[in-house]
Amino acid sequence: MIDGGEDKTRGGGSPTPVRPERLRGPVEFVGRTAELAQLRRLVATPPCLILLEGEPGIGKSRLVAELLAELPGRHLVGECDDVPEPFPLGVLLDAIRGSTERPGPLSPVAGALAPLLPELADVLPDAPPPLTDPAAERHRLFRAVAAVLAALSPATLLLEDLHWADPATCELLAYLSTHPVDGLAVLLTARTATPGSSTPIHDALARTPPWSVTRVALSPLDADDVRRLAARTLRLDDPPQQLTAALLDRTAGIPFVVEEVLRTLAERGGDPLADDSVPFVLRDVLLWRLRPLDEATREVLGAAAVLGMTPDQRILAAVLSLDRVAIGAALTAAHRAGLLHDAGDGLRFRHDLARQVVYDLVPRESREWLHLRVARVLEQELPRPVAQLAHHYRRAGSGADFVRNAEAAADLATERGDDATAASFLLQTMDVAELPRPVRVRLAAKLGRSAIDGLSQAEAIPVLERLLADRRLPPGARGELGLVLGRMLRQQGEALRGYTEIERAVPYLRAPRRKAPALAVLAAPDTVVGRHVDDHLARCTEAETAAAASGDPGSHLAVRIARASLLLELGDPAAWAIITELRASAELADRPREHARACLNWAQGALHAGHPEQAEALLAAGRALVEETGYERLTSLVEATQLSLDRAAGRLDGLAERLSRLVASAERMPVTLLDARAELATVLALTASGANGGTANGGTANGGTANGLGDRTGGLDEVALAERALREVVADARRVGAIWPLVQTLSALARLTLTRQPDEAVRHATEALSVVRGKGILAWAADAVLVLAEAAAAQGEPARAAAAVAELEAGIAGRDTPLARAALRRCRDLVPA
């Protein structure tokens, strides 16, 4: 079954027999003194969360084994599987189950784990009633896990191979990073994310504050470490420099590969430099170990590699139609040859790298046959392991069977609240070329719904775009898929494209309860260019009609929230009555995630209009709700709103640094990234110009100087840096059609260039006014008009700005816009009516 490769023994003679008696057991631990000392210090002072990263074979597991061997106290250990069944928090629950001690008295919230941990039924409180909000349900589950971990602490929680972890586990670990459990040290191992790709654990931790996670990166061994390994393994007092150099060159210093090569050299005996029959790369080393094995043993080992890291003898026997005795003998022979090791609970491959090499040595046709046989055997298991079945059928090339099981795995993940895992399975189905159109549409609709709140939007977007380009797509599917695509594009920062897709989808949405929330999205004025406020008002009215027809409380609530936001941006005092009414309602209280999002949106609207006290109160309420629900995706929005409030209030000390950190952490949350960059660029401009504060658009109505620069011009480098940052945001905001960051940065750019390049400043201010004029909310142009008035007054021709000032005055008449009114008063000082 396994291709043994070319015989490389010298002279073509028979292979040298393996001599395991020459081995000294596991190769000794070297080269990680500093990292081990760092881990000791960290776990000695819990709570802490540590991410130990490195490429495959770098020695992560070996390092933590050394740490735990000397670490007193309770250890909770879990290991992720490369093909796990959809079971949120599985690895963490396994670690809790494995504890030899029962947790002490538990708070009632721990009862949320009762359905997932029947083994602890005697100590867990009764399960609480279910919640209507999935996010609140998930947050309660996180609190339950934290409560059980607290009852088991002091302890060290070790979770290995987190690059394979389910997204729910990763979200929980992000939660633990910002809500640490007293006495608990959390140690995670994961492969380093490769450029251009990531994993759920890296995505989840990227959204946490930098201080909440300590990252420890393992690098390859250096020459001294390789020399010490060689000395101990080969029993050489002073290994030749040539041997060390060859080992380092051929193994890249990867500890697992170095160990395998040294084991092989030790087994061969003799002069390691003179004996050129032993190669220095992992594939050929394992080929050398395979040579003594007979064909039947190789066949079993190949099937074991197809099955996974820890082959199940019962399944292997069924797959190969052999008895258990023959399977056991073959695995024992592979163990003697150094290809498997005894993990305490059975034989397994020493490392996934070794398993992958053996897997790749199986001819492709044989691999496909083995995957199909494994799948047929697993079909008899109850409950059916649908994730494993999908994996094996896909590798076997059986598209229909793969899709059937991938959809079942996605449905199971959705049922358990794990949308990101569901999206991952559904994305894979989109690659099956022979998928019938109705099936593809059905799966795409599921993909869209699961990817909205998962981490797969970027991958799902082109799939949905291809489907929507098909003119034969049924109208109902076009509406649903278009709505999902529009929401995804908006979350990815593509403001105008997302808005346009939702506009296109609305006529095809048949159910009023689906149409009403879509129209409510289109009612938001502060998102896109090219849509007048009258259009938003019309959309809001349509949304109210659809919500009334739907009879759905959730749709009605979404529309009421949108109406309040729209009126707030318009400066209509009626907004505050709606906000007060909604915040006191049971409908909003029962939906804490929507409540949090609404408070944050209203806080931003209050800032735009110039109501900092109300913005502060709404932000505080939104922050408390985010913390209560654990809805981490809103954390960056909370921070962005706080920083906008600080900038508007003139609290500039350290603000640029805080915004820079937010921009860095928002890289994986594009929906907030452009706004954060606009704030940063505005603050850089204010700092460079020496202003002490600004309007909501970055101007000076709250305390800046008349010309925006005062007695200081700032360092040339500061000004150049600010101008470049502003121009970059302007370009990106134009590209995606995002109106608020565009107006904000155009106005700030106009102010920054006012004294140095007055014509350029007028051009930027005029563009900002033109963009706002297209929206119809003139209050947003207050700072741009003020720049035009200042420029005209400085040139001794105040009348040149008279039309713009009059337009602003008419636009805000009767409106509740204190910030714009302050700017208008200064304009009238410069340009009398």
Side-chain angles (χ1 to χ4, degrees), residues 55-66:
E55 60 186 295
I58 203 69
K60 302 180 290 293
S61 296
R62 185 63 184 280
L63 177 57
V64 296
E66 290 289 325

Side-chain angles (χ1 to χ4, degrees), residues 653-674:
D653 288 347
L655 190 55
E657 291 76 8
R658 291 162 60 201
L659 278 162
S660 296
R661 289 195 296 270
L662 176 63
V663 168
S665 66
E667 283 292 344
R668 300 193 188 282
M669 297 293 290
V671 68
T672 60
L673 181 57
L674 191 59

Side-chain angles (χ1 to χ4, degrees), residues 515-531:
K515 182 174 288 191
L519 288 164
V521 171
L522 300 180
D526 60 334
T527 52
V528 293
V529 298
R531 302 296 186 279

Side-chain angles (χ1 to χ4, degrees), residues 461-474:
I461 284 172
V463 172
L464 296 177
E465 288 177 328
R466 286 195 297 271
L467 282 169
L468 286 164
D470 185 350
R471 295 184 177 180
R472 295 168 294 179
L473 193 65

Side-chain angles (χ1 to χ4, degrees), residues 180-216:
V181 173
D182 286 342
L184 182 69
V186 181
L187 177 56
L188 316 174
T189 71
R191 294 178 183 174
T192 305
T194 56
S197 66
S198 189
T199 64
I201 187 60
H202 291 96
D203 286 333
L205 296 183
R207 297 193 297 273
T208 61
W211 50 262
S212 64
V213 180
T214 301
R215 287 173 168 81
V216 178

Side-chain angles (χ1 to χ4, degrees), residues 5 9 97 113 146 211 244 253 349 472 477 484 515 528 541 569 601 617 626 670 699 736 773 796 815:
T9 51
R97 288 189 193 98
L113 283 178
W211 50 262
T244 300
F349 288 94
R472 295 168 294 179
V484 168
K515 182 174 288 191
V528 293
T541 300
E569 295 288 357
N601 287 339
V626 169
V736 301
R773 189 182 290 126
R815 300 292 181 182

Side-chain angles (χ1 to χ4, degrees), residues 25 139 159 176 191 196 207 218 245 252 254 265 273-274 375 453 462 563 592 634 637 652 670 704 713 812:
H139 180 61
L159 302 179
L176 289 178
R191 294 178 183 174
R207 297 193 297 273
L218 293 185
I254 305 300
L265 289 171
L273 284 177
D453 290 320
R563 169 66 75 176
L634 287 180
L637 184 56
L652 300 185
T713 60
I812 65 174

